[in-house]
Amino acid sequence: MQHFTSVHDVADPAALVQSALELKQSPPEDLLSIGQHKTMVLLFFNPSLRTRLSTQKAGLSLGMQVMVHNAGQGWQLEFEDGAIMNADKAEHVKEAAGVISQYADIIGVRTFPSLTDCERDYQDFILEQFKTHAKVPVLSLESAIRHPLQSLADWVTIAEHRPAHRPKVVLSWAPHPKALPQAVANSFLEWMQVADMDLCLTHPEGYELAPEFVGDTPVIYDQKRALEGADFVYVKNWSPYQAYGQVQNQDARWMISPEKMAVTNNGRFMHCLPVRRNVVVSDTVIDSPRSLHLEQSNNRTWAAMAAIKELLKSQ
Amino acid sequence: MQHFTSVHDVADPAALVQSALELKQSPPEDLLSIGQHKTMVLLFFNPSLRTRLSTQKAGLSLGMQVMVHNAGQGWQLEFEDGAIMNADKAEHVKEAAGVISQYADIIGVRTFPSLTDCERDYQDFILEQFKTHAKVPVLSLESAIRHPLQSLADWVTIAEHRPAHRPKVVLSWAPHPKALPQAVANSFLEWMQVADMDLCLTHPEGYELAPEFVGDTPVIYDQKRALEGADFVYVKNWSPYQAYGQVQNQDARWMISPEKMAVTNNGRFMHCLPVRRNVVVSDTVIDSPRSLHLEQSNNRTWAAMAAIKELLKSQ
Amino acid sequence: MQHFTSVHDVADPAALVQSALELKQSPPEDLLSIGQHKTMVLLFFNPSLRTRLSTQKAGLSLGMQVMVHNAGQGWQLEFEDGAIMNADKAEHVKEAAGVISQYADIIGVRTFPSLTDCERDYQDFILEQFKTHAKVPVLSLESAIRHPLQSLADWVTIAEHRPAHRPKVVLSWAPHPKALPQAVANSFLEWMQVADMDLCLTHPEGYELAPEFVGDTPVIYDQKRALEGADFVYVKNWSPYQAYGQVQNQDARWMISPEKMAVTNNGRFMHCLPVRRNVVVSDTVIDSPRSLHLEQSNNRTWAAMAAIKELLKSQ
C-alpha cells in the first residue's frame, strides 16, 4: 500500500478490516517491533481529538517515534505551482513535504475543505499536493473529501456486531447549526459500497452528495421509510454539495429520536463524533446500549494500527 | 486509589509522601516497566509549565506512552446534561471523556475556575464531570479549587527539610496584580491538615478562604505575628472567596521581605510558582539559600510519579 | 561542551562535522542507549518546522525522552534582573530556566530577535539569560543572532559534496518581502570562517552584516562577480544591521536565477528554508539537481544528534 488516503489505495479492504480486528483481539507479542526505528509525523492543519490521539497511540503501540505538529501555528504554506511567493505564504508544500519526508517514514496529514471552492476541494488539492511531493507514504487523517481511517473503524465496528443476515446500513443526514464537510459521509459510502452491505442513503432534497461518491447507492428522501428494518443507522450532518457549503436546512424533524429508531430492526446507532446532542441525535438514543459511538472511536486505534502496519510493509 | 483529585482520594497520604521520597532517592531498577504498555493522556484547558513537564516526565520515566493535548485549541466542550447543543459547543464531555478513556489508562485534566461563578467552581464542575464520564482514573493537574500534585510535592519538600520538632507552617497571602484562583491555597491547607504540622493562615481581612478548606486552621490577620517562629513560610496570592474573584487589596506591605523572614525560626520560603518577583516576594528572599521554590518544582516529578504509580495499581 | 549556542562553544568544529557524518553513515548499534534515561526539553518562543522535528527526532533516536513546549502559549517571561513584576510578565527566566533544569538534562531554546532593539538582540539577551540561569546545557534552536545547528548541518552538506580543490563558497543576499533576522547569515559566516573554505559575501550596499560576524570575509557588492567560479552558493535574505530591521531593498535582480548560476563552477545552490520561491530563488534553480536544500534539512537531524551527543558527554 503506497498511501492510505481512500479505499482505492487498499488492495483488499476486507482483509484490512480483518487485520484491525486481529490486532485488537490478539495483538502479536512483537507489536512494539513492527515500527521500531520508524518515525511518523502527524501534521494538523485543523483541530482534532480522536484522530490525533488514536493515530498517535497506534504509532506508539507499534514502537514508532511519533511527532505531532500543528501546522497552523507556524507560517502558511503555498500550494500553487509556480507561485511568486511575495505575499503571506512563507513556504511551499514542495519543501514542507520534501523536508518532512526526510524526518518521517510516514506523514499523516489532516486538512479540511474550504467549503467555498468546490472544485479545488474535490480535487483534494492539499492532500494531493502532499502525495505528489512527499517521498514517503501519506496517511490521511481526514482530507477535504474523505476520512478513510474513520470509515475503516466504522467497518470494523459493524463487523463486530454483524448479524447473521446481510445487514441493512442506512446513512442518514441530520441537522446541525454549522456548515460541515462531506468527508465522513463520502468516505462511509465509498467503503460500504465495497463491503457486502444492503446500503441506502437518506437526506433532505438539496443535500445530495457528489455523484462520484453516491454511485449506485439508493437515495430515499423519506427518512422514516429509509430507516425501516435498518440494522445500522449511521448519522451525520453535511452541508450541500450543489449549493456548496451553505446551510439550507436545519429541520429538527431529521434529528434521530427513539421514534425513528423504533422502525429499525432493533438497529444500532452510529456516529463518528463530535456530535451535537439533542440536535443531531437525542440523548435517549445516544445514551442507549444500542449506540456504538464509543466503540467506533475505540476502533480508530486498531484501524490506524492496521493501516500504518500496511504502509510500513511497503517500505 | 480510584482517582487523584484531592487528599480525600488518598487512603494514606503520609505513605504517598514516603513513596515519592523513595522514588526520588532510590528509584527501582524496573521503573520503566511499571507503566509499560500503559497510556496517559494529559488534557490542558489552561496553560501550564511545571505541571505539564513534570507529569509528562513522570509518565515517561515509568515507561508509559504519554500524549499531551491542548483541549483549548480545538472545539469547546459542553458540560451540562441534557443541553440542546445548537450553539458554540461542539462536543459533550460525555463523549470526550468516554472516548479518551478508550485511548488512555489515566486521564490528566487541567482546568481553572471561572472566578465569576463561585457555586459552579466550588462544585469543581468540570473535573467532576470528567470523573463521572471517564472510565479510567482521573489525575487532577489542578482544578478549579484544588492542586493536589502541588500539595503532595510541597509535603515531600517539607519532609526533606523537617526539623526535629513539630514544624510551624504558615500559609501567607501576598499581593498580586491579577485575580488568581484559590486552588493552591485550598489544597495546601487540606494536605497540611492531615500532616503533623503546627499550621496557621494569615491574610488581610476580606481574603478568607472557603470555610470547608480552612476548617480548624487558626487565622491570624497580623502577618508578622503569624510568621513568628515559623519553620516554613508558604506564600501565595489568591482572590477573595466572599467577594468572589475580585482584586480588593494590593497592599505591598504584605510582600515577603527579609524583615518578614527575620521573625521566623530561620524559616524556609516556599512558593508553587510562577511567582511575581518584588510583588509577592523580594528578590533577596527568593534568591537566598533558605528558599525551597526550586526544590518544590523538582519534587513535582516524584509526586506525580508516586500518584501515577498508585493509580496504575488500582487497575 | 558546556552549551551549544555558537561555533565558539565547540572545541573542534571539524570533528563535530565528522561525528555527524559518522552518525549518518554508520550509526552505532547502541544509538538508543546514548541518551537513555536522559530528558531533553525543547522550548519554542517562535514557530519552527525543521528545527522542531529534526531536533526532536535526534533526541528520540538517541533514546532520550523529549518534551516539546510552546513557550508562547502560556504566560510571558520576565528577563530583566530586579524587575518589579506587577505588569504582564508572570514568571521570571530565573525560575523558568531553574525549574526546567530539574526536568531536563538539556534545554533547547528557540528565540527570534526583536529586530527593533539592536543592542539587546546582539547581546543575545534571551539565550544568554537561559545560559545564566539554567543548570544544564543549553542547545540553541536558533537565537536572535545565530543558528548554529543550521550552520553545522550546512557544513556537513558541503563536506558531503566537497570537490577536490578548496571550494569557493559564496553567501549571497536575496530579496524578501519581510524583515528577516540575520541569524542564519551570521552563523554561516562564523562556521565557514573556521572551515577551510574560500569564502566571500555579496549583498547590496546598506545590507552589511555586523562587523563582528563579517570579520575578514571579503564583501563584493557586485553579485555576479562574487558568484563567478563558486562551488557553493548559499542564499539568504536578511534585514540590515545598520538601518536595523528595516526593509530597504527588494530589488528582484538579486534573485538567484539560472543566469546567476551559469557563472559559477557548476555550483550547488543552498538555502536553509523556508524559502520564498521566485522571490529569493527561481523554481528552475531550486528544482534542479544542483540544489542541496533538501539535503541540508536532512542533515539537520545528524547535526543535532552530534551536538546532543557531545552535550551528554559533558555530564
Side-chain angles (χ1 to χ4, degrees):
Chain A
M1 191 161 71
Q2 201 194 340
H3 297 292
F4 182 80
T5 61
S6 87
V7 75
H8 310 300
D9 289 330
V10 187
D12 187 344
L16 195 60
V17 170
Q18 197 50 40
S19 164
L21 283 167
E22 280 164 21
L23 283 163
K24 182 179 181 178
Q25 286 153 10
S26 48
E29 295 233 340
D30 67 339
L31 194 64
L32 277 166
S33 72
I34 293 173
Q36 212 184 359
H37 305 309
K38 299 286 181 182
T39 302
M40 182 163 64
V41 169
L42 304 180
L43 212 53
F44 289 89
F45 290 90
N46 298 95
S48 167
L49 175 68
R50 267 153 293 278
T51 302
R52 174 189 285 259
L53 294 179
S54 61
T55 313
Q56 197 177 345
K57 180 171 179 170
L60 291 171
S61 299
L62 291 168
M64 302 184 85
Q65 298 171 352
V66 183
M67 305 195 289
V68 178
H69 185 62
N70 293 327
Q73 277 173 12
W75 43 79
Q76 282 190 275
L77 291 187
E78 174 66 65
F79 290 94
E80 301 291 343
D81 282 352
I84 298 169
M85 294 171 59
N86 57 5
D88 54 344
K89 314 288 176 57
E91 180 150 34
H92 200 283
V93 66
K94 285 187 187 183
E95 274 68 64
V99 165
I100 299 172
S101 295
Q102 305 190 103
Y103 306 146
D105 300 283
I106 294 175
I107 304 180
V109 178
R110 164 84 153 208
T111 173
F112 283 175
S114 66
L115 291 184
T116 53
D117 185 339
C118 178
E119 194 183 325
R120 189 175 154 133
D121 287 347
Y122 270 75
Q123 291 168 356
D124 224 351
F125 189 65
I126 292 179
L127 187 73
E128 289 302 319
Q129 285 286 73
F130 268 95
K131 281 165 72 175
T132 301
H133 298 297
K135 290 161 185 77
V136 299
V138 170
L139 172 68
S140 169
L141 307 172
E142 184 173 347
S143 77
I145 52 170
R146 287 184 180 94
H147 196 348
L149 282 175
Q150 180 64 52
S151 308
L152 175 56
D154 295 336
W155 187 343
V156 168
T157 310
I158 289 173
E160 290 182 308
H161 294 276
R162 191 178 173 119
H165 61 275
R166 188 164 173 263
K168 177 172 178 182
V169 176
V170 182
L171 171 58
S172 176
W173 182 90
H176 195 285
K178 288 177 62 183
L180 296 193
Q182 294 118 27
V184 168
N186 288 343
S187 217
F188 185 72
L189 287 178
E190 204 168 56
W191 285 74
M192 285 298 109
Q193 283 157 3
V194 305
D196 186 26
M197 309 286 171
D198 174 15
L199 179 65
C200 77
L201 175 58
T202 181
H203 54 71
E205 290 192 49
Y207 274 77
E208 287 73 18
L209 289 164
E212 66 195 90
F213 285 101
V214 177
D216 294 334
T217 302
V219 178
I220 302 169
Y221 293 111
D222 179 340
Q223 189 190 32
K224 206 145 193 178
R225 195 162 71 73
L227 294 175
E228 279 169 12
D231 296 293
F232 298 93
V233 180
Y234 197 100
V235 183
K236 183 75 188 81
N237 172 271
W238 59 85
S239 60
Y241 174 71
Q242 286 306 334
Y244 193 64
Q246 294 173 26
V247 177
Q248 292 194 321
N249 188 330
Q250 299 198 44
D251 186 349
R253 287 170 301 181
W254 277 82
M255 183 178 82
I256 301 298
S257 61
E259 293 69 40
K260 303 280 175 65
M261 295 305 287
V263 305
T264 67
N265 181 27
N266 195 19
R268 302 282 191 166
F269 170 82
M270 297 181 75
H271 194 284
C272 63
L273 307 181
V275 66
R276 301 270 186 151
R277 285 173 168 257
N278 304 310
V279 175
V280 166
V281 58
S282 73
D283 281 341
T284 319
V285 171
I286 195 171
D287 288 334
S288 91
R290 300 305 289 171
S291 178
L292 298 176
H293 65 296
L294 290 182
E295 295 188 37
Q296 287 170 265
S297 69
N298 187 16
N299 285 330
R300 292 292 306 275
T301 305
W302 314 104
M305 222 181 272
I308 293 167
K309 197 173 158 227
E310 211 57 37
L311 290 174
L312 287 173
K313 261 188 213 168
S314 71
Q315 294 186 301
Chain B
M1 192 161 70
Q2 201 193 340
H3 298 291
F4 183 79
T5 60
S6 86
V7 75
H8 310 299
D9 289 329
V10 187
D12 186 344
L16 195 60
V17 170
Q18 196 51 39
S19 164
L21 283 167
E22 281 164 19
L23 284 163
K24 182 178 181 180
Q25 287 152 9
S26 49
E29 295 234 338
D30 66 341
L31 194 65
L32 277 166
S33 73
I34 292 173
Q36 211 184 2
H37 305 307
K38 299 285 181 182
T39 302
M40 181 163 66
V41 169
L42 304 180
L43 213 54
F44 288 89
F45 290 89
N46 298 94
S48 168
L49 174 68
R50 268 154 291 277
T51 301
R52 174 189 284 259
L53 294 179
S54 62
T55 313
Q56 195 177 346
K57 180 171 179 172
L60 292 170
S61 299
L62 291 169
M64 302 184 86
Q65 298 170 352
V66 183
M67 305 195 288
V68 177
H69 185 61
N70 293 328
Q73 276 174 13
W75 44 78
Q76 282 189 275
L77 291 187
E78 174 66 64
F79 290 94
E80 301 290 343
D81 282 350
I84 298 169
M85 293 170 57
N86 57 4
D88 54 343
K89 314 286 175 58
E91 180 151 34
H92 200 283
V93 67
K94 286 186 187 183
E95 274 67 65
V99 165
I100 300 171
S101 295
Q102 305 191 101
Y103 306 147
D105 300 284
I106 294 176
I107 304 179
V109 179
R110 165 82 152 207
T111 174
F112 282 175
S114 65
L115 290 185
T116 54
D117 185 339
C118 178
E119 195 183 325
R120 191 175 153 132
D121 287 347
Y122 270 76
Q123 290 168 359
D124 224 351
F125 189 66
I126 292 179
L127 186 74
E128 288 300 320
Q129 285 286 72
F130 268 95
K131 281 166 72 175
T132 300
H133 299 296
K135 290 162 185 74
V136 299
V138 171
L139 173 67
S140 170
L141 306 172
E142 184 171 350
S143 75
I145 51 171
R146 287 184 179 95
H147 198 348
L149 283 175
Q150 180 64 53
S151 307
L152 176 56
D154 295 336
W155 187 344
V156 168
T157 310
I158 289 173
E160 291 183 309
H161 294 277
R162 193 180 170 116
H165 62 275
R166 187 162 173 264
K168 176 171 179 182
V169 176
V170 181
L171 171 57
S172 176
W173 182 91
H176 195 284
K178 288 178 62 183
L180 295 193
Q182 293 117 29
V184 168
N186 288 343
S187 219
F188 185 72
L189 287 178
E190 204 167 58
W191 286 74
M192 285 297 109
Q193 282 157 5
V194 306
D196 186 26
M197 308 286 170
D198 174 16
L199 180 66
C200 76
L201 174 58
T202 180
H203 54 71
E205 291 193 49
Y207 274 77
E208 286 73 17
L209 289 164
E212 65 196 269
F213 285 100
V214 177
D216 294 333
T217 302
V219 179
I220 301 168
Y221 293 110
D222 177 340
Q223 189 190 34
K224 206 144 192 178
R225 196 161 70 75
L227 294 175
E228 279 169 11
D231 296 292
F232 298 93
V233 180
Y234 198 98
V235 182
K236 182 75 187 81
N237 173 270
W238 59 85
S239 60
Y241 174 71
Q242 286 306 333
Y244 193 64
Q246 294 173 28
V247 177
Q248 292 193 320
N249 188 328
Q250 299 197 46
D251 186 349
R253 286 171 300 181
W254 278 81
M255 184 178 82
I256 301 297
S257 61
E259 292 69 40
K260 303 278 175 67
M261 295 305 286
V263 304
T264 67
N265 180 25
N266 194 19
R268 302 281 191 167
F269 169 81
M270 297 181 75
H271 195 284
C272 64
L273 305 183
V275 67
R276 302 270 185 149
R277 284 172 169 259
N278 303 311
V279 175
V280 165
V281 57
S282 73
D283 281 341
T284 319
V285 172
I286 195 170
D287 288 334
S288 90
R290 302 303 290 170
S291 179
L292 298 176
H293 65 297
L294 290 182
E295 294 188 38
Q296 286 171 268
S297 70
N298 187 17
N299 285 330
R300 290 294 305 274
T301 305
W302 314 105
M305 221 181 273
I308 292 168
K309 197 173 159 227
E310 210 57 37
L311 290 174
L312 287 172
K313 261 189 213 165
S314 71
Q315 293 186 303
Chain C
M1 192 162 70
Q2 199 193 343
H3 298 291
F4 183 79
T5 61
S6 88
V7 76
H8 310 299
D9 289 328
V10 187
D12 186 345
L16 196 60
V17 170
Q18 197 51 39
S19 164
L21 284 166
E22 281 165 20
L23 283 164
K24 182 179 182 180
Q25 287 152 9
S26 48
E29 296 234 339
D30 67 340
L31 194 64
L32 277 166
S33 72
I34 293 174
Q36 212 185 0
H37 305 308
K38 299 285 182 182
T39 302
M40 181 163 65
V41 170
L42 304 180
L43 212 54
F44 288 89
F45 289 91
N46 298 96
S48 166
L49 174 68
R50 268 153 292 277
T51 302
R52 174 189 285 259
L53 293 178
S54 62
T55 312
Q56 196 177 345
K57 180 171 179 169
L60 291 170
S61 299
L62 290 169
M64 302 185 86
Q65 298 171 353
V66 184
M67 305 194 289
V68 177
H69 185 61
N70 293 327
Q73 276 173 15
W75 44 78
Q76 283 188 274
L77 291 188
E78 174 66 64
F79 289 95
E80 300 292 342
D81 282 351
I84 298 170
M85 293 171 59
N86 56 4
D88 54 342
K89 314 287 176 57
E91 181 151 30
H92 200 282
V93 67
K94 285 187 188 182
E95 273 68 63
V99 165
I100 299 172
S101 295
Q102 305 190 102
Y103 306 147
D105 300 285
I106 294 176
I107 303 179
V109 178
R110 164 83 152 209
T111 174
F112 283 175
S114 65
L115 291 183
T116 53
D117 185 340
C118 179
E119 194 182 326
R120 189 174 154 134
D121 288 346
Y122 270 74
Q123 291 168 355
D124 225 351
F125 189 65
I126 293 180
L127 187 74
E128 288 300 320
Q129 285 286 70
F130 268 95
K131 282 166 72 175
T132 301
H133 298 296
K135 290 161 185 74
V136 298
V138 170
L139 173 67
S140 170
L141 307 172
E142 184 172 348
S143 76
I145 52 170
R146 286 183 180 96
H147 197 349
L149 282 175
Q150 181 63 53
S151 308
L152 176 56
D154 295 335
W155 187 344
V156 168
T157 309
I158 290 173
E160 290 183 308
H161 294 276
R162 192 178 172 117
H165 62 274
R166 186 163 174 263
K168 176 170 178 183
V169 176
V170 182
L171 170 59
S172 176
W173 182 90
H176 196 285
K178 287 177 62 182
L180 296 192
Q182 294 118 26
V184 168
N186 288 343
S187 217
F188 185 72
L189 287 178
E190 201 167 59
W191 285 74
M192 285 298 109
Q193 283 157 3
V194 305
D196 185 27
M197 310 286 171
D198 173 15
L199 179 66
C200 77
L201 173 59
T202 180
H203 54 72
E205 290 192 49
Y207 275 77
E208 286 73 16
L209 289 164
E212 65 195 89
F213 286 101
V214 177
D216 293 334
T217 302
V219 179
I220 301 168
Y221 293 111
D222 178 340
Q223 189 189 32
K224 206 146 194 177
R225 195 162 69 76
L227 294 174
E228 279 169 12
D231 297 292
F232 298 93
V233 180
Y234 198 98
V235 183
K236 184 74 189 83
N237 172 270
W238 58 85
S239 59
Y241 174 72
Q242 285 306 333
Y244 193 64
Q246 295 173 27
V247 177
Q248 292 193 320
N249 189 329
Q250 299 198 45
D251 185 349
R253 287 171 299 180
W254 277 83
M255 183 177 81
I256 301 298
S257 61
E259 294 69 41
K260 304 278 176 65
M261 294 305 287
V263 304
T264 68
N265 181 25
N266 194 20
R268 303 281 190 166
F269 170 81
M270 297 181 75
H271 195 283
C272 63
L273 307 181
V275 67
R276 303 268 186 153
R277 283 173 169 258
N278 303 310
V279 175
V280 166
V281 58
S282 74
D283 281 342
T284 319
V285 172
I286 194 170
D287 288 333
S288 90
R290 301 303 289 169
S291 177
L292 299 177
H293 64 298
L294 291 183
E295 294 188 38
Q296 287 170 267
S297 69
N298 187 18
N299 285 332
R300 291 294 305 275
T301 304
W302 315 104
M305 222 182 274
I308 293 168
K309 197 173 158 228
E310 211 56 37
L311 290 175
L312 287 173
K313 260 188 212 165
S314 72
Q315 294 185 300

